[in-house]
Amino acid sequence: MIEMIDVWKTYPNGTHALRGITVRIKKGEFVYVVGPSGAGKSTFIKLMYREERPTKGQIFVNGINLEALRERRIPYLRRHIGVVFQDFKLLPKLTVRENVAFAMEVVEAPRRQIRQRVKEVLELVKLSHKADVYPDELSGGEQQRVAIARALVNRPSVLLADEPTGNLDPETSWGIMQLLEEINNHGTTVVMATHNREIVNTMRKRVIAIENGEIVRDEQRGEYGYET
Ligand code: ADP
Ligand code: ADP
C-alpha cells in the first residue's frame, strides 16, 4: 500500500509543486494520475520512489517510511517499486537482455536466478526473440516493453509509470496498456500519470486529478475530464 499524509513539495527555486496531498492507494489498485502540465503529477510519482523528498509530510510504501529510509537502503525500496518513463531510459550500450538483467545485478541477485527471471519477464513482454539486440534496433513500443520488463524483473509490488505512452502512437499505446493491465491483474499495483484521454475514458480505473499541486478529484471509475 502507498500512503501520503499531508505531503508538500517546494523545489529549491521556490516552486510549490505539491500542497497538502493526502491519499491512500491499496495493494492491487490501478490508478491514473491526470491533470494539466505542471500540475505536480511527476513530482507526486517521484516522491513515491524517493527520487524527490517532500518538504513536509509523510510517505509510506509497503509500510516503509520513506522519510526515515537511509540512503543506503534505497536499493531495498527499489525492489518494491518498478518505474517506467515516457522516454524509456534504456542503457544504449547494453542489449535488451543486459538492460533487464542489470536491474537484478544492482540488487546482487544470484546469477542463475537472474538468467531464469530475465527469460521469464522477456516472455511476459513478448520480446524473447529480441533479447540480444540493442535498444536502437527496436521500435518505441518494443523499447517501452523492455523498460517494463526491467521494471518488473525484481517482482515489485508497485509499478509507477510516468506518461508511459507519451512517445507512442495510439495503436502501440494500446498494446502497452494491455500489458500494464495484465501486470495489474497479477496483483501488482499500478500508478500511471497520463495525458491520454482516450485510454483513461476507455480503460476505466480510479482517477486522481491533480491541479496546482492539490488533488481536486479522486473517483473510483473516473474520467479524464479535460478537453485536451
Ligand atoms: P506535471 O508532471 O504535472 O507536469 P511536475 O511535477 O513536473 O508537473 O511539476 C510541478 C511544478 O514543479 C511545475 O511548476 C514545475 O515547473 C515544477 N518543477 C518540477 N520539477 C522541478 C525542479 N526540479 N525544480 C524546480 N521546479 C520544478
Ligand atoms: P510467481 O508466482 O512466479 O512468484 P507472480 O505471478 O506471483 O509470480 O508474480 C510476481 C511478480 O512478478 C508480479 O508482481 C509481477 O511483477 C511479475 N509477474 C510475473 N508474471 C507476471 C505476469 N504474467 N503478468 C504480470 N506480472 C507478472
Side-chain angles (χ1 to χ4, degrees):
M1 196 184 68
I2 301 166
E3 189 168 21
M4 288 196 185
I5 305 165
D6 194 26
V7 165
W8 296 69
K9 176 66 185 180
T10 303
Y11 283 106
N13 69 0
T15 305
H16 299 294
L18 294 177
R19 315 165 189 251
I21 299 282
T22 295
V23 72
R24 287 180 115 184
I25 296 171
K26 291 203 290 284
K27 183 170 165 37
E29 277 196 277
F30 194 123
V31 181
Y32 295 119
V33 181
V34 305
S37 197
K41 303 179 298 295
S42 288
T43 303
F44 180 69
I45 285 183
K46 284 176 181 168
L47 289 170
M48 292 181 192
Y49 66 103
R50 236 187 72 167
E51 175 70 16
E52 293 288 348
R53 303 184 72 162
T55 311
K56 176 178 178 293
Q58 286 188 298
I59 306 170
F60 297 89
V61 175
N62 293 344
I64 304 167
N65 181 345
L66 298 203
E67 191 51 32
L69 192 70
R70 299 266 166 84
E71 206 71 31
R72 65 186 166 79
R73 297 282 284 166
I74 290 180
Y76 163 78
L77 171 73
R78 303 271 164 88
R79 283 195 220 187
H80 291 258
I81 303 176
V83 191
V84 301
F85 305 94
Q86 178 169 0
D87 60 356
F88 324 131
K89 297 197 194 298
L90 299 174
L91 297 167
K93 297 200 165 135
L94 300 185
T95 64
V96 165
R97 187 196 311 280
E98 289 163 350
N99 263 280
V100 177
F102 186 67
M104 285 186 88
E105 286 159 6
V106 169
V107 298
E108 295 174 354
R111 265 181 123 83
R112 248 195 69 217
Q113 201 177 311
I114 295 178
R115 206 176 312 125
Q116 176 57 32
R117 178 63 180 158
V118 169
K119 186 168 173 285
E120 263 174 41
V121 288
L122 288 180
E123 280 166 18
L124 168 68
V125 302
K126 301 190 169 64
L127 281 176
S128 305
H129 61 297
K130 301 268 181 169
D132 296 310
V133 314
Y134 289 89
D136 67 4
E137 301 170 68
L138 297 174
S139 70
E142 287 170 335
Q143 290 186 52
Q144 191 60 294
R145 274 150 57 202
V146 177
I148 291 170
R150 179 181 59 184
L152 290 178
V153 76
N154 288 316
R155 302 179 188 277
S157 58
V158 178
L159 182 66
L160 304 176
D162 194 350
E163 300 256 11
T165 64
N167 279 346
L168 304 176
D169 60 59
E171 198 181 324
T172 308
S173 298
W174 280 110
I176 293 297
M177 291 312 299
Q178 276 168 15
L179 180 57
L180 294 181
E181 181 152 66
E182 183 186 336
I183 289 159
N184 177 247
N185 288 340
H186 277 75
T188 308
T189 309
V190 177
V191 181
M192 167 177 162
T194 185
H195 280 122
N196 195 316
R197 173 195 186 83
E198 196 193 340
I199 283 172
V200 174
N201 289 345
T202 306
M203 217 181 244
R204 298 287 289 275
K205 309 283 183 191
R206 180 174 173 188
V207 174
I208 294 175
I210 298 181
E211 287 177 27
N212 202 11
E214 292 181 295
I215 293 180
V216 295
R217 180 154 61 89
D218 184 351
E219 293 165 344
Q220 277 312 314
R221 276 176 60 81
E223 289 182 13
Y224 186 74
Y226 297 97
E227 288 310 314
T228 52

